[in-house]
Amino acid sequence: MSELRERMNREAAIAYLSKNVDMRFDALRAIEGALPIAEHLDDLQDIFGEKLKRTIGIDLWQHVRDGQLKIVTQTRQGPVFAGYASIAGISLVDPARKKIAPSLRTAARALEKIDLPMGIVNTNDEQRAVAARHLTRGFSVGKSAFDAINDAKAFISVTTIATLRNWGNRADAPMSLYVSRDGLEIQIGKTHQSVRRITLDNCVDTPVPKFPELTL
């Protein structure tokens, strides 16, 4: 039974690596292409978060944290909040969000550690097992990072910015907000007359590379 399990594990590792190991090169290229986007989104997390709150007193996270903008009606019993619109990409301004770029680098390091000196079949069981662990970790961390990029990127889309502007212009919004996007410049402030200009890197408008998926 021990020999049978050992043989089955060996065959499973060989099959898994044979199907997937070469995809690490596609994954590494995708990570290289996505890294500038991730780094800029990580910078924007601070710019639209703590820096915006500190410089002009706007706390976006307080109003978008549950994924829905609210409007408020004052009643005798107190304020009553109702949903106004869903808001995409809120992870961009989440102060607790884990930075994306370091995760991409972690995934790349795992994939670069894969070493099969004698090929998949002739390498020993331990080396195959190590290679399989690096491959699995690299793809797992990488996929999560790419999902995070695609989610956070939605916050600075023209559609989301327009939703925020329309909401912030309402008399029943819980805060006054003016925000607009013109090309790579976002203007944001409590009113149209007092705005801070935020310049986006042109990488945010480039398509996010497709991260490959493992075959199980």
Side-chain angles (χ1 to χ4, degrees):
M1 289 300 296
S2 176
E3 291 176 355
L4 176 62
R5 284 193 296 270
E6 184 177 324
R7 187 177 75 248
M8 291 177 65
N9 289 338
R10 180 181 302 116
E11 291 172 353
I14 290 172
Y16 175 68
L17 289 170
S18 297
K19 291 176 184 176
N20 296 296
V21 74
D22 286 343
M23 285 198 295
R24 73 188 187 277
F25 302 116
D26 294 331
L28 286 167
R29 282 191 291 270
I31 289 171
E32 182 180 5
L35 194 55
I37 304 173
E39 290 173 336
H40 189 50
L41 292 174
D42 288 344
D43 290 339
L44 292 177
Q45 178 186 23
D46 297 325
I47 291 170
F48 281 102
E50 185 58 35
K51 290 181 180 178
L52 202 62
K53 184 166 61 173
R54 186 175 65 250
T55 55
I56 57 178
I58 291 177
D59 186 352
L60 288 174
W61 178 242
Q62 177 185 352
H63 297 283
V64 305
R65 62 191 307 157
D66 62 354
Q68 189 175 59
L69 298 170
K70 300 288 199 306
I71 52 177
V72 59
T73 302
Q74 297 295 336
T75 69
R76 291 181 178 179
Q77 290 74 34
V80 175
F81 290 87
Y84 168 72
S86 297
I87 194 79
I90 63 170
S91 63
L92 178 75
V93 296
D94 182 353
R97 172 173 66 81
K98 185 179 179 182
K99 298 291 186 184
I100 306 171
S103 294
L104 285 180
R105 295 189 181 96
T106 296
R109 283 194 298 270
L111 296 173
E112 288 165 351
K113 287 179 181 178
I114 295 172
D115 185 23
L116 297 163
M118 302 296 291
I120 296 172
V121 175
N122 295 323
T123 298
N124 65 48
D125 291 344
E126 182 179 352
Q127 288 173 315
R128 265 195 302 268
V130 171
R133 285 198 297 272
H134 288 320
L135 184 67
T136 300
R137 175 165 171 74
F139 272 79
S140 176
V141 175
K143 183 182 184 307
S144 295
F146 272 75
D147 289 344
I149 289 172
N150 286 307
D151 181 75
K153 199 167 177 276
F155 193 82
I156 51 177
S157 69
V158 172
T159 300
T160 301
I161 295 297
T163 301
L164 282 167
R165 181 177 63 252
N166 294 336
W167 167 78
N169 194 44
R170 292 177 61 102
D172 55 1
M175 71 175 294
S176 176
L177 178 69
Y178 174 81
V179 58
S180 68
R181 177 174 173 181
D182 182 12
L184 293 174
E185 182 177 271
I186 291 179
Q187 296 186 12
I188 185 167
K190 292 184 177 180
T191 67
H192 182 269
Q193 290 74 30
S194 59
V195 296
R196 178 182 179 187
R197 288 174 172 79
I198 298 170
T199 302
L200 304 175
D201 190 286
N202 58 15
C203 69
V204 299
D205 283 339
T206 60
V208 179
K210 182 174 176 57
F211 193 71
E213 295 185 10
L214 293 175
T215 300
L216 302 178

